[in-house]
Amino acid sequence: VRGPTNRKRLAMVFTGGQYGEGADAILDALRQRGLKASFFVTGDFIRIEAHRPILRRIVADGHYLGPHSDLHPLYCPWEDRGKTLVTEDFFRTDLDKNLKDLSVFGPSRGQMRFFIPPYEWYNSEIAEWAASMGIVLFNFTPGTRSNADYMPDSDPRFVSSKKLYESILTYEATHAGGLSGFLLLLHLGSGPGRTDKMHPYVAPLLDELGKRGYEFVRVDELLHEALGSHGQTVLSLPNNCGHNGA
């Protein structure tokens, strides 16, 4: 859930499911600044024809492209994540399909070593199954409200994009270590239900954090210590789980 905190480095992580209306603006902001980020998408995202140029551009621009599951299943109940709702066979088949479909766009199966689970909700059994496939399961770093940028206007938990932006900068300024080692999660789109989009804030966020001395790196750069010297996954189960609707 967090990389090394001894350097002012962080990874911008963008996930995509059904929607991707912010992708071009996000990729433009990164390209204009020469920065790299990480993108994790579902099979549902891949199957939308209009999203395929986005995936090709992610790879062409040198960003990390990785899996977010094929069907975006819920792995464990919201009220008791000690239970598992899927079988190991289902988990492996679903993730393998996501990896296979992503490989069409450039990255090899061996290059896609990191995986953020659907809904950012999982348990130790899911993490162990991923590790058995040579995959490192990770989650976003908690503390800011960034992961709430998918919520529709009608959601009682709705937070404006301006407040989400401010929550990131406030956390950075008020917590020891700031955002060092952060896996900062945003979404590629939120659909028509959210009119207050977050993607216009990405460019200002990159600029402000750059002014504060942060370097932006890909997930595989930030979390390289999660892989053993021979490329084997080192399993380290986080003691915290995110709860996110996307």
Side-chain angles (χ1 to χ4, degrees), residues 19-114:
Y19 303 112
E21 73 274 9
D24 284 333
I26 291 165
L27 288 166
D28 286 346
L30 292 165
R31 178 184 285 178
Q32 290 162 6
R33 292 157 181 79
L35 303 176
K36 303 304 179 190
S38 302
F39 297 82
F40 295 83
V41 300
T42 67
D44 290 334
F45 188 94
I46 298 168
R47 284 184 281 273
I48 296 174
E49 186 69 33
H51 290 165
R52 294 177 184 177
I54 295 169
L55 297 170
R56 287 190 284 269
R57 183 178 175 188
I58 288 169
V59 174
D61 285 358
H63 302 297
Y64 189 95
L65 180 62
H68 191 40
S69 81
D70 182 52
L71 298 175
H72 205 268
L74 184 65
Y75 291 148
C76 44
W78 297 117
E79 66 279 3
D80 181 8
R81 66 186 178 98
K83 298 178 181 178
T84 305
L85 297 176
V86 299
T87 65
E88 183 174 2
D89 182 64
F90 173 91
F91 171 83
R92 296 176 71 95
T93 299
D94 178 85
L95 185 53
D96 273 333
K97 178 166 176 49
N98 195 200
L99 290 162
K100 180 180 179 181
D101 290 349
L102 284 169
S103 68
V104 172
F105 297 91
S108 69
R109 169 66 176 78
Q111 291 172 317
M112 293 183 284
R113 299 297 305 279
F114 293 91

Side-chain angles (χ1 to χ4, degrees), residues 27-28 41 43 78 104 115 119 127 132 144 147 171 175 194 223:
L27 288 166
D28 286 346
V41 300
W78 297 117
V104 172
F115 164 59
Y119 301 102
S132 73
T144 77
N147 61 298
Y171 186 99
H175 286 74
R194 184 183 179 95
L223 301 182

Side-chain angles (χ1 to χ4, degrees), residues 13 34 73 97 105 122 177 215 246:
V13 175
K97 178 166 176 49
F105 297 91
Y122 59 96
E215 176 188 1

